[in-house]
Amino acid sequence: MMEKQVVEPQAQIEAQNTDPAARGMTRRDFIKVSAFLGGSALFASQMNLAWDVIAPRGNVAAAAGEQDYPLANPANIIYSVCQQCNTNCGIKVKLVNGVISKVDGNPFNPFTLNPHLPYATPIKDAATIDGAVCPKAHAGIQTTYDPYRITKVLKRAGKRGENKWQSISFDQAVAEIANGGKLFEKVPGEENRVVTGLKELYALRDPKVAKAMADEVKKITSEKDKDKKKQLIADFKTKFASDLDKLIDPEHPDLGPKNNQMSFMWGRLKGGRSDFINRFTKDAFGSTNAHGHTTVCQGSLYFTGKAMSEQLVEGKWTGGKKFY
């Protein structure tokens, strides 16, 4: 006996494709999924993907503890650091099919959970425990998938200040920065300007010679008598005659080697990055010019912490600490 086929009207089919209740979703479930998607425009296109993964049997309650709930799977979690402000709280980034779906606090981090989990806690156990993070951290989803986020190297394509740019590959950028040359020959007025590459600036490469020169330069800069200083410079030029071509100006050895013409300047970053920058710029490349500065963001944190921790002692607020 053949089963009777029922042809549904087109309007009913469309209603089932658009109405959450028609797809087995309650209003409560729909709100849960909407919150899960983070409100990003990108995730609107990922609705079906996320729904199929989270509730393969039409039940968002999988979050209550079922093993197939993807965001409780350690393989779908990346432990990282939020960079939405200078505090750099620890976060756990939860993925669905490789797409960021949720950002929560790293339970191992004291900034997001107090007391934090012991560091020996198995990752499998930590996967079900979340710390707290502020809205900035949650907005990291939008930052990551922002259609205007710069993901390629931008090279100036016009005169300075004209705000004209072109996208180039990282390989091309690295090659141009390292090798130099007529990098802006298509820009009017800069057709023949030659940009010095890092290979050429990396002139003094022998660490022993560099240290010996630095020691002699200290003697020259500390000498106050002009005649004695001239003699020290003459002695310096004799002692390092074979390496004078590596200096910015042999008559002014205090300017150092050509390596000093490479400068690494940064704004806001944490100590770990500055250590890496100093290791590259100073120790490896041999330039003394690694400079950074703090920001209003960090300053406000410090002084707010100080104000909040001040104590009234004999009619005067004092003793506050600059901290987070």
Side-chain angles (χ1 to χ4, degrees):
M1 183 174 180
M2 296 181 63
E3 182 177 351
K4 183 178 179 181
Q5 294 183 352
V6 178
V7 180
E8 297 178 330
Q10 183 64 28
Q12 184 176 352
I13 296 176
E14 292 177 356
Q16 288 184 351
N17 289 335
T18 57
D19 183 11
R23 297 188 62 193
M25 295 174 64
T26 65
R27 180 179 179 84
R28 181 186 298 272
D29 290 345
F30 181 77
I31 293 175
K32 288 181 179 180
V33 174
S34 299
F36 163 81
L37 294 175
S40 171
L42 170 105
F43 289 106
S45 64
Q46 301 290 342
M47 171 64 87
N48 289 335
L49 176 151
W51 176 251
D52 291 341
V53 174
I54 295 176
R57 295 184 302 278
N59 182 13
V60 178
E66 293 188 21
Q67 294 181 354
D68 57 0
Y69 178 58
L71 301 190
N73 182 354
N76 295 335
I77 297 175
I78 296 176
Y79 290 85
S80 185
V81 175
C82 176
Q83 302 249 305
Q84 297 291 86
C85 88
N86 196 47
T87 305
N88 286 11
C89 294
I91 57 175
K92 57 192 303 188
V93 181
K94 302 174 180 179
L95 309 176
V96 172
N97 286 1
V99 178
I100 299 176
S101 61
K102 189 75 166 62
V103 176
D104 283 307
N106 182 345
F108 293 102
N109 190 295
F111 277 18
T112 67
L113 189 64
N114 185 19
H116 62 82
L117 291 183
Y119 294 131
T121 303
I123 294 296
K124 183 178 181 180
D125 296 338
T128 60
I129 301 174
D130 298 329
V133 286
C134 80
K136 287 184 179 181
H138 292 292
I141 301 177
Q142 282 74 25
T143 300
T144 301
Y145 296 116
D146 189 334
Y148 295 102
R149 179 182 178 183
I150 297 176
T151 58
K152 296 182 179 180
V153 179
L154 296 182
K155 178 182 178 181
R156 182 164 58 85
K159 296 180 180 179
R160 293 182 183 274
E162 287 187 331
N163 200 28
K164 294 181 179 179
W165 306 90
Q166 61 176 321
S167 298
I168 62 175
S169 68
F170 279 94
D171 288 342
Q172 179 182 341
V174 171
E176 291 188 0
I177 293 170
N179 299 321
K182 296 182 179 180
L183 306 183
F184 301 96
E185 58 184 347
K186 295 182 180 180
V187 177
E190 300 186 57
E191 294 86 352
N192 298 315
R193 184 168 74 88
V194 177
V195 178
T196 305
L198 292 186
K199 283 186 177 179
E200 186 176 344
L201 294 182
Y202 188 35
L204 182 57
R205 305 188 180 191
D206 189 330
K208 294 182 179 179
V209 174
K211 185 179 185 308
M213 281 186 168
D215 291 340
E216 293 298 320
V217 167
K218 288 181 181 179
K219 298 178 182 179
I220 295 173
T221 54
S222 62
E223 181 57 60
K224 303 301 181 183
D225 186 275
K226 292 184 179 181
D227 293 332
K228 291 183 178 179
K229 179 169 289 192
K230 287 182 179 180
Q231 185 58 50
L232 287 174
I233 293 175
D235 294 341
F236 179 93
K237 293 170 66 176
T238 300
K239 183 175 182 179
F240 299 103
S242 60
D243 294 299
L244 293 180
D245 61 320
K246 302 177 181 64
L247 298 181
I248 294 175
D249 184 353
E251 298 299 326
H252 295 277
D254 55 305
L255 296 178
K258 294 178 180 178
N259 309 46
N260 280 342
Q261 294 178 92
M262 193 276 278
S263 178
F264 197 120
M265 302 179 65
W266 69 88
R268 189 190 76 189
L269 53 71
K270 301 300 286 185
R273 292 190 190 176
S274 61
D275 292 339
F276 176 80
I277 291 171
N278 286 326
R279 184 176 181 182
F280 168 73
T281 305
K282 296 180 178 180
D283 298 341
F285 197 86
S287 172
T288 190
N289 293 311
H291 308 287
H293 66 86
T294 186
T295 63
V296 173
C297 178
Q298 183 175 0
S300 63
L301 284 168
Y302 283 156
F303 288 103
T304 300
K306 183 178 188 303
M308 292 176 65
S309 58
E310 293 273 55
Q311 301 296 315
L312 186 61
V313 179
E314 297 181 354
K316 181 179 179 181
W317 292 100
T318 184
K321 302 295 183 181
K322 295 180 181 179
F323 69 115
Y324 287 136

